[in-house]
Amino acid sequence: MSQIVTPDICDAYPEVQVLDPIFVNVGGLEAFFGPIRTVKCFEDNSRVKEAVAEPGDGAMLVVDAGGSTRCAMLGDMLAEQAAGNGWAGVVMYGCVRDVDVLAETELGIQALGAHPRKSEKRGEGQRDLPVTVAGVTIEPGQWLYADNNGILIADERLDLER
């Protein structure tokens, strides 16, 4: 297999972990993968903004926003910056906004939903630590594979050609 098809990956690698099916695909890429970097924050996207301003080098940003549905933690400007800086995608355990623009952005984005209100900016949050999202504890350096069928976590990069 040469493309990301999560059912096929699950068949070939039964040991992968599967996030609970609570996310919607809102980015311009329907399937995406990469090594994981993490942010943990709640209704304050300062650390998300900080992360996407750095080179992504094909990584996935997994954001544990506490599952909040009271504000958006990612919008069009940060998503465009992430795409421009080489991030492969963002998985947001929280909400996003500007979804019409996100759908046109060359970035994989999955989130719990959309919310029009922006988050606070108090400089709070942590980066590069284990986070538990949708029933799975995710560590920086693991690999994330996502498509419209779901989100998978593997301990290492998988050989998708096998």
Side-chain angles (χ1 to χ4, degrees), residues 5-75:
V5 180
T6 58
D8 293 347
I9 294 171
C10 282
D11 292 350
Y13 295 94
E15 71 276 11
V16 297
Q17 298 180 78
V18 181
L19 272 61
D20 292 341
I22 57 176
F23 294 91
V24 292
N25 208 343
V26 296
L29 303 177
E30 290 189 358
F32 47 97
F33 75 102
I36 295 170
R37 298 188 202 164
T38 63
V39 169
K40 184 177 178 91
C41 51
F42 185 74
E43 297 179 0
D44 177 344
N45 74 347
S46 299
R47 297 292 170 250
V48 175
K49 183 178 182 181
E50 181 181 273
V52 301
E54 299 170 359
D57 300 320
M60 298 294 312
L61 185 62
V62 176
V63 181
D64 177 359
S68 174
T69 56
R70 299 189 308 195
C71 66
M73 298 291 287
L74 181 81

Side-chain angles (χ1 to χ4, degrees), residues 69-134:
T69 56
R70 299 189 308 195
C71 66
M73 298 291 287
L74 181 81
D76 58 349
M77 292 187 295
L78 293 185
E80 288 171 359
Q81 186 174 26
N85 284 334
W87 290 85
V90 176
V91 172
M92 179 63 68
Y93 185 53
C95 291
V96 297
R97 68 186 200 165
D98 305 312
V99 294
D100 295 332
V101 177
L102 298 185
E104 301 297 321
T105 304
E106 283 294 308
L107 185 70
I109 306 168
Q110 291 207 21
L112 296 181
H115 197 292
R117 187 178 312 281
K118 68 181 179 178
S119 78
E120 296 292 325
K121 308 232 181 341
R122 297 180 303 268
E124 297 175 359
Q126 300 168 287
R127 292 182 57 189
D128 302 318
L129 71 162
V131 295
T132 300
V133 170

